[in-house]
Amino acid sequence: RQRRRLMVWSSAGGKALPVQDDADPWEMSFDAQSQHVATMHQDARGLGTIRVRSLPALQETGRIPIDHRSEFALSPDGSLLAVSGRVRDNERSPWHLHVDLFDVATSRRTLRLAEDRSLTWLRFSPDGRHLFSVGESFGDQARELRVWRLSDGRLVASLRHETDIQGARIGMRGDELATRTGGQIRVWGLPSGSLLSQIETDAGFKDYTFSPD
């Protein structure tokens, strides 16, 4: 397998920035302001690390160990990292799934959410007060978007759909969220999860976004 490399370019002049000692990243995630980047690295056993670095200097601000390939997301200011995880009592017992929040600077876990699904999508709200999660396409897990309040770890809303959620966009103010399922887009109020409107078309949607207001 060809070795992967993290490449970062400056938007002013298109100059490539130096990346030191980068170890074959599998996935990456940026914070809302693109001031930090998190990259996931794994060895042959599936064990690895998520590294967080500031931009554009690419100075490491923290690293979190992981025991399997995980979904992860950075908070808007890059200070927190949300990571899907799993634990079990022994080798014969089933896995118990969850989402952990870590303080990037100290690598200390600050919160565990009782998210019992394997995830395909994980995002913070623009104000960093809530976390959104979507499950994988197994059973009906991908038909529900969950809203978690990070002050106490409580599930405050479940946005249910009749078919798998194929995409989600968060409004710039953080008070609205749009989900796409086939030829339908639904707009939800946050954090209550109330349905505000829906748009349908037979042709389907390729992409969509919110206006600034």
Side-chain angles (χ1 to χ4, degrees):
R1 181 176 62 86
Q2 186 176 3
R3 179 181 171 86
R4 296 180 176 90
R5 294 181 59 200
L6 174 64
M7 301 291 293
V8 181
W9 283 267
S10 169
S11 58
K15 182 180 179 181
L17 303 176
V19 179
Q20 300 295 328
D21 302 321
D22 195 56
D24 203 11
W26 278 87
E27 294 181 26
M28 69 174 61
S29 177
F30 293 87
D31 65 17
Q33 305 298 322
S34 295
Q35 297 297 310
H36 298 83
V37 59
T39 52
M40 182 177 68
H41 310 263
Q42 280 186 295
D43 60 22
R45 299 171 297 169
L47 304 177
T49 304
I50 297 177
R51 301 175 61 189
V52 181
R53 284 169 282 189
S54 61
L55 295 171
L58 289 171
Q59 180 178 357
E60 186 171 295
T61 59
R63 57 174 61 196
I64 309 297
I66 55 174
D67 62 0
H68 73 295
R69 193 164 183 172
S70 306
E71 283 295 314
F72 59 98
L74 276 170
S75 63
D77 62 359
S79 65
L80 295 175
L81 183 74
V83 184
S84 63
R86 60 183 186 179
V87 294
R88 60 180 179 179
D89 300 328
N90 55 64
E91 292 184 356
R92 296 183 178 180
S93 64
W95 290 105
H96 303 288
L97 305 179
H98 57 261
V99 170
D100 284 335
L101 263 71
F102 293 93
D103 180 279
V104 170
T106 64
S107 301
R108 183 176 62 89
R109 190 182 75 196
T110 61
L111 183 66
R112 173 164 288 181
L113 304 177
E115 173 56 90
D116 57 359
R117 306 173 297 172
S118 294
L119 301 180
T120 59
W121 192 78
L122 197 60
R123 293 291 187 278
F124 281 86
S125 62
D127 61 9
R129 296 180 180 179
H130 295 86
L131 190 72
F132 310 109
S133 59
V134 176
E136 66 179 7
S137 296
F138 177 78
D140 61 354
Q141 296 184 18
R143 300 181 180 184
E144 180 184 4
L145 188 149
R146 294 177 178 173
V147 183
W148 303 87
R149 187 169 60 204
L150 299 183
S151 60
D152 56 10
R154 291 186 60 186
L155 178 66
V156 295
S158 296
L159 314 184
R160 299 182 183 276
H161 302 68
E162 293 76 26
T163 57
D164 287 0
I165 299 170
Q166 298 171 327
R169 295 285 187 274
I170 305 168
M172 294 182 180
R173 296 195 304 264
D175 59 351
E176 293 180 335
L177 181 142
T179 54
R180 176 173 67 89
T181 56
Q184 184 180 80
I185 289 178
R186 297 180 183 180
V187 180
W188 309 82
L190 295 175
S192 65
S194 58
L195 180 62
L196 302 179
S197 65
Q198 62 184 48
I199 305 168
E200 296 188 35
T201 175
D202 294 334
F205 296 91
K206 185 175 181 180
D207 201 1
Y208 57 102
T209 189
F210 282 99
S211 65
D213 61 355

